[in-house]
Amino acid sequence: MPEPSVDNLKDASPKKIRDLKVEIITAIAQVDVTSLVIELSLYEDIYDPFVKGDLTIADNSGIISGLPVLGQELVKIKFSRSGHEIEKTFACTRVRGIKKLVGETAGAVLSLTSQKHLTNAVSMFSKSYKGLSSDIIQKIHSDAFGEDIDIVSESGSAHSIVFPYIKPYAAINAILRKTTAADGTPYFLYENLFGEKPILKSLQAMCEEESDTVLKKNINSNADTDMGFGQRDNPSTIGQLYEFEVLKNADTLKLLSSGALVGTTARINLANNEYVESPFLYKTDAKTIAPLDQFQEYQIDDQRLDSGLMSPSYRSEFYNPIAYESEGVTELNTNLDPAARTKAASRLNRMNNMFRLSLYTDSAPKKYMVGKCINLDLPINAPGVANGDMKDELFSGKYLITRLRHYIKGEEYTMSIEVIRDGISIPKNKTDVGEPGP
C-alpha cells in the first residue's frame, strides 16, 4: 500500500498551508521573500469591491533599503489549501512599522491592495449612461478596469445618469447607495480571494441561498468519543470552529431611534414640485429575511410598532427623474416605489445592528467566502452542561459572511470571520450537525 504524500497529509490537516511563495517585484528586480514572511493577512469585505491586505516581513538583510521598497512595488502571492490554489498580484502602496523585532532582526509591514485601486486613483472621467443600474455598473467597471463583473442580481431600477468628473469606484458606489436590486434589497459589489471576478449580488439573494456548511464548536478533542479516536489530521475537521464571540444581539435603541423599524418618509419630486408622505413599517415594507422576527410583538408604552402611533424618525428623499433617480425596470421615468431608499436604509441598519458574531476558524477557502451563508451549531453558555452538547437555540442557525480575514503565519492558515443576520434563525436539525459541508 503506497504511503500518503506529504502534500496530501497537509491538505487533510487543520490549518496547513502548502507551496507558499511571495515575491516582491520592482522595476528592476523580482525577489523571492518567502523565507522572510512573518505573517500575511488578506481581507474580504462585502462593502469592498476588491481584496486587500498586509504583509509583514523580516528584514535582517536590509532588503527594504537595498531594493529599495518604497510603496511602489507589486507583490505576487501564491499558495494552496486543501487542493485549491490561488495566485494573485497585489500593489504595495505603503511601507510602515519598520522596526527591530527580536535581537538583530528588523521587520516591516507592506500595505497591499488591488491594482484596480491604483487605476481608480488616476481615472477620473465624465460620461453619461442609460439603462438598468446593474448594467451601468458593469459598463463602468469594464471600461475602467478591463474586467467584467458577475451580475448575480439585476437592478430594480433604470436610470439616465450623467457623471461629471468622477472616479470609477465613486460612480459605482453612488449607484449602489441610491438603488436596489430587483428584489427590493440593497446590493453589493465585492470580491472573493478564491473567486474569479467581482460579484454584484443582493442581500436577499445572499441570505436565501441554501448552504449545507455546518460549523460546530467542538468541545471534545476526540472525533469519535466512543472509540477515542483523535481528530488531528482528520479530513472531517477541516474548517472547524475554534472560538466565537457574540459582538451584538440587537441594538434596540439604535434601531428604533434611526427609523429602521418604523417612521415616516417624505418623497420630494424636484422636477414637478410634488410631495408625497408615506408611513414606513419594516415588517410590511422591508420584511425581515431571517425566518423569525424578534420585534413582531415588541411594545413600548403598551403600543405595538404597527399601532400607527409612533413617530421616531422623519426621512426626506429627494427625487429628480430628469437628473438621476428614474425608477422602474421596464422604462425610464417610471416611479414604482416611492420609499425604495427608506427600505434599503432600514435593511442596512438592521443588517449592522442585530445579530453579529465573530468566528475564529480553520481555513476552508471554498466553504467560507464573503457573500456566502453558513449554519452555526453553537453550545449554550451554561456551566455544568456535559461536554457542551446542549445547543444554543438563540445564536445557532444560518448567518451571512460579511467580512473575512485570511491569516497565514508560518505554515498555519486560519480565518477570522464576521457573520450577521437580521432576525432569529431556525437552527438546522440536530441530525445534520457534524456533517461535512461541500
Side-chain angles (χ1 to χ4, degrees):
M1 182 176 179
E3 290 292 324
S5 70
V6 174
D7 286 347
N8 288 338
L9 287 174
K10 283 187 175 181
D11 282 344
S13 301
K15 300 184 180 181
K16 292 299 182 182
I17 189 176
R18 65 180 176 92
D19 303 328
L20 175 65
K21 187 174 184 178
V22 180
E23 296 176 299
I24 296 178
I25 305 169
T26 71
I28 59 173
Q30 185 165 334
V31 181
D32 189 334
V33 295
T34 306
S35 62
L36 303 178
V37 173
I38 296 174
E39 62 181 42
L40 171 65
S41 294
L42 297 172
Y43 304 96
E44 299 177 23
D45 194 313
I46 201 172
Y47 290 99
D48 277 335
F50 47 77
V51 176
K52 53 192 176 185
D54 293 304
L55 171 66
T56 304
I57 61 171
D59 185 22
N60 51 9
S61 58
I63 192 170
I64 298 295
S65 300
L67 270 177
V69 180
L70 303 171
Q72 302 171 14
E73 300 71 33
L74 297 178
V75 177
K76 188 176 181 180
I77 297 171
K78 181 180 178 180
F79 63 88
S80 67
R81 169 65 169 140
S82 300
H84 302 294
E85 185 177 289
I86 184 67
E87 183 175 329
K88 297 275 188 181
T89 300
F90 295 89
C92 171
T93 58
R94 188 165 70 128
V95 184
R96 68 186 194 276
I98 303 174
K99 60 183 179 181
K100 289 272 184 139
L101 295 177
V102 179
E104 296 301 313
T105 300
V109 181
L110 279 61
S111 295
L112 308 180
T113 190
S114 168
Q115 295 179 73
K116 292 178 289 188
H117 202 177
L118 292 182
T119 301
N120 179 76
V122 295
S123 300
M124 188 169 284
F125 70 95
S126 295
K127 195 170 182 179
S128 63
Y129 295 91
K130 190 172 184 178
L132 288 176
S133 56
S134 50
D135 293 336
I136 295 174
I137 291 172
Q138 173 77 278
K139 182 65 174 170
I140 294 172
H141 198 277
S142 178
D143 287 349
F145 310 117
E147 178 187 46
D148 287 337
I149 63 175
D150 182 8
I151 301 178
V152 178
S153 304
E154 283 197 339
S155 168
S157 56
H159 301 266
S160 180
I161 315 171
V162 177
F163 284 115
Y165 301 105
I166 193 169
K167 293 178 182 178
Y169 281 130
I172 290 172
N173 287 336
I175 297 172
L176 291 174
R177 285 196 309 270
K178 294 187 176 185
T179 65
T180 61
D183 57 26
T185 64
Y187 60 159
F188 302 85
L189 181 66
Y190 59 92
E191 187 176 57
N192 299 127
L193 179 62
F194 281 77
E196 295 180 1
K197 54 186 176 181
I199 299 168
L200 184 65
K201 195 171 184 179
S202 74
L203 177 62
Q204 184 166 315
M206 287 186 274
C207 292
E208 290 185 347
E209 196 170 89
E210 288 298 318
S211 173
D212 294 325
T213 301
V214 180
L215 194 53
K216 182 176 181 178
K217 180 70 169 70
N218 287 316
I219 305 299
N220 198 305
S221 60
N222 289 330
D224 187 329
T225 54
D226 293 326
M227 300 297 293
F229 294 151
Q231 60 181 355
R232 183 181 178 184
D233 296 346
N234 186 325
S236 66
T237 66
I238 297 297
Q240 66 181 289
L241 175 63
Y242 298 127
E243 297 175 13
F244 72 94
E245 179 183 356
V246 178
L247 302 176
K248 190 171 288 188
N249 178 18
D251 190 333
T252 301
L253 185 59
K254 190 168 186 177
L255 291 168
L256 286 169
S257 59
S258 65
L261 302 177
V262 62
T264 303
T265 300
R267 175 84 157 181
I268 303 168
N269 188 326
L270 299 176
N272 56 18
N273 296 320
E274 285 184 352
Y275 170 89
V276 178
E277 196 172 87
S278 305
F280 170 78
L281 179 64
Y282 80 99
K283 69 179 183 180
T284 55
D285 297 320
K287 190 178 179 181
T288 297
I289 298 174
L292 302 178
D293 176 8
Q294 68 201 72
F295 287 101
Q296 189 169 356
E297 303 297 329
Y298 187 64
Q299 295 184 9
I300 300 175
D301 298 331
D302 298 325
Q303 299 293 333
R304 289 163 51 105
L305 296 179
D306 58 3
S307 64
L309 301 175
M310 297 183 185
S311 182
S313 73
Y314 192 91
R315 179 185 174 91
S316 297
E317 291 192 8
F318 292 93
Y319 167 66
N320 189 344
I322 296 175
Y324 189 87
E325 297 91 4
S326 45
E327 314 233 358
V329 263
T330 55
E331 58 182 345
L332 297 176
N333 305 323
T334 302
N335 181 9
L336 291 182
D337 190 350
R341 289 195 207 168
T342 298
K343 295 176 183 180
S346 169
R347 291 188 185 280
L348 288 173
N349 200 325
R350 285 180 282 147
M351 173 179 161
N352 290 306
N353 290 295
M354 293 187 70
F355 284 83
R356 181 178 294 274
L357 277 67
S358 174
L359 316 174
Y360 175 58
T361 75
D362 179 26
S363 50
K366 284 293 187 177
K367 288 168 63 175
Y368 307 149
M369 306 170 82
V370 158
K372 284 185 172 288
C373 285
I374 56 174
N375 297 285
L376 296 184
D377 176 33
L378 303 177
I380 195 167
N381 186 20
V385 176
N387 297 323
D389 285 337
M390 187 178 292
K391 181 189 285 187
D392 189 322
E393 299 291 345
L394 176 61
F395 292 112
S396 294
K398 188 177 181 181
Y399 286 83
L400 172 65
I401 299 175
T402 56
R403 291 185 175 92
L404 190 152
R405 177 197 187 195
H406 303 261
Y407 182 62
I408 296 169
K409 187 171 185 177
E411 287 194 345
E412 290 196 346
Y413 173 19
T414 56
M415 292 179 166
S416 296
I417 303 172
E418 196 167 285
V419 297
I420 63 100
R421 69 181 183 212
D422 67 349
I424 301 174
S425 180
I426 301 174
K428 269 188 170 288
N429 189 291
K430 200 157 189 171
T431 58
D432 294 334
V433 172
E435 294 296 322

